[in-house]
Amino acid sequence: MDTLQQRFDRLWPHVTVLGAPDAAPRLTVVLFHGCGGIGRNITLFADYAVSLGLRAVIVDSYAPRGVKRRMAAFLACNGLWLRGYQRSGDVLALLWGLSQRSEVSGTVLAGWSHGAWAIMDLMTQSLTRPGEARLSDPISEPLKQVRGLFLMYPYVNFLARSTDRAWRTQVPTMMVIALKDHLARFGLSLKAVRRLRAQGVPLETVVVDSTHAFDELGADRFGFMKYDPQSVSTVRAAFADFVRKFKT
């Protein structure tokens, strides 16, 4: 089982950092891909975040584990490997490492589907016992720098901890819900929203009349998903409004 330092050291060589080449403290968006791995939807969104004056950090959870993307996607998308709770240690380790960097004034955690699952699972943990987040020395201090959560069509189905556990950490959250989502069906997503709001989580929603992965170029090759540029524009505008309140 990794320590925070070990997990960070494993992940960092496979992290992509984007933004102004200066040392000025800036709000930093940390992006966690879906079960399909890093695609153009992730890199384009990171570029958009940079255009807003933020830094962006794209985290690859597959490469450090030595599993090729195609096999990793098959295993993760089917829930056979690297479930949200296991991957939540990646989120905590990146926060831990970034909290030691003066150019990071605060962070927004952004997750797509499986990546959002990992972020949400992290929110349910006390981080006071060895083994939580699959780390030997978890601590909650890195979460103090988190200004908000941006969750794109998060997986809120079977095995997701947020279905029956309260969030121990509550920060402003924006959840993007797709009406035609086949993985996180609208009814399940709405149930998750109501549960989190009842717990006191400050949660905004953006509802789009689209499918899962509507922001992924080439999604049309799958019969149950479709790229929707109008919804992409809607979500980008909502994200800009969301992060504006956290910029320093």
Side-chain angles (χ1 to χ4, degrees), residues 28-34 38 41-42 45-46 49 54-61 87 91 94-95 98 107-120 123 146-154 171-176 215 235 239 242-243:
T28 300
V29 182
V30 190
L31 298 89
F32 293 87
H33 60 76
I38 297 173
N41 58 331
I42 305 296
F45 199 91
L54 313 179
R55 300 191 190 281
V57 174
I58 303 173
V59 184
D60 187 341
S61 286
R87 192 179 175 196
V91 183
L94 257 295
L95 286 175
L98 291 175
T107 55
V108 171
L109 297 177
W112 278 250
S113 190
H114 192 288
W117 176 14
I119 292 169
M120 294 174 75
M123 298 299 112
V146 178
R147 304 292 179 260
L149 309 180
F150 181 75
L151 308 174
M152 284 281 278
Y153 40 84
V171 295
T173 299
M174 175 170 281
M175 183 182 294
V176 178
D215 59 330
V235 168
F239 174 78
F242 181 63
V243 299

Side-chain angles (χ1 to χ4, degrees), residues 9-243:
D9 289 345
R10 288 176 63 193
L11 290 166
W12 192 248
H14 305 282
V15 162
T16 302
V17 180
L18 303 171
D22 58 36
R26 297 175 188 271
L27 184 68
T28 300
V29 182
V30 190
L31 298 89
F32 293 87
H33 60 76
C35 69
I38 297 173
R40 285 288 289 157
N41 58 331
I42 305 296
T43 57
L44 287 173
F45 199 91
D47 289 341
Y48 178 68
V50 170
S51 76
L52 297 176
L54 313 179
R55 300 191 190 281
V57 174
I58 303 173
V59 184
D60 187 341
S61 286
Y62 290 167
R65 291 174 167 87
V67 182
K68 291 185 178 180
R69 178 177 169 179
R70 190 168 183 176
M71 177 58 70
F74 172 79
L75 295 172
C77 290
N78 286 286
L80 301 174
W81 172 74
L82 198 62
R83 293 171 178 171
Y85 178 72
Q86 297 168 308
R87 192 179 175 196
S88 66
D90 289 13
V91 183
L92 186 61
L94 257 295
L95 286 175
W96 176 82
L98 291 175
S99 69
Q100 302 172 49
R101 294 176 178 262
S102 59
E103 71 271 22
V104 177
S105 64
T107 55
V108 171
L109 297 177
W112 278 250
S113 190
H114 192 288
W117 176 14
I119 292 169
M120 294 174 75
D121 270 18
L122 182 63
M123 298 299 112
T124 69
Q125 299 172 61
S126 64
L127 304 174
T128 58
R129 302 185 306 275
E132 288 190 285
R134 291 294 189 267
L135 295 169
S136 63
D137 59 346
I139 54 174
S140 60
E141 281 75 11
L143 293 175
K144 294 178 181 178
Q145 70 165 326
V146 178
R147 304 292 179 260
L149 309 180
F150 181 75
L151 308 174
M152 284 281 278
Y153 40 84
Y155 179 78
V156 290
N157 210 327
F158 178 64
L159 297 175
R161 290 191 162 211
S162 292
T163 60
D164 59 6
R165 302 191 187 200
W167 282 16
R168 303 291 190 95
T169 302
Q170 298 186 355
V171 295
T173 299
M174 175 170 281
M175 183 182 294
V176 178
I177 302 172
L179 288 173
K180 300 171 184 174
D181 199 320
H182 69 291
L183 284 177
R185 297 192 308 276
F186 180 71
L188 287 174
S189 297
L190 192 59
K191 187 175 181 181
V193 168
R194 289 170 175 164
R195 184 184 304 109
L196 291 171
R197 283 177 173 166
Q199 295 168 20
V201 177
L203 174 62
E204 303 175 49
T205 58
V206 179
V207 180
V208 293
D209 188 15
S210 303
T211 68
H212 198 79
F214 64 84
D215 59 330
E216 187 170 344
L217 295 166
D220 304 65
R221 68 183 183 276
F222 303 105
F224 42 85
M225 295 190 290
K226 183 176 178 61
Y227 177 67
D228 183 355
Q230 182 175 344
S231 292
V232 171
S233 296
T234 297
V235 168
R236 285 188 173 187
F239 174 78
D241 288 339
F242 181 63
V243 299

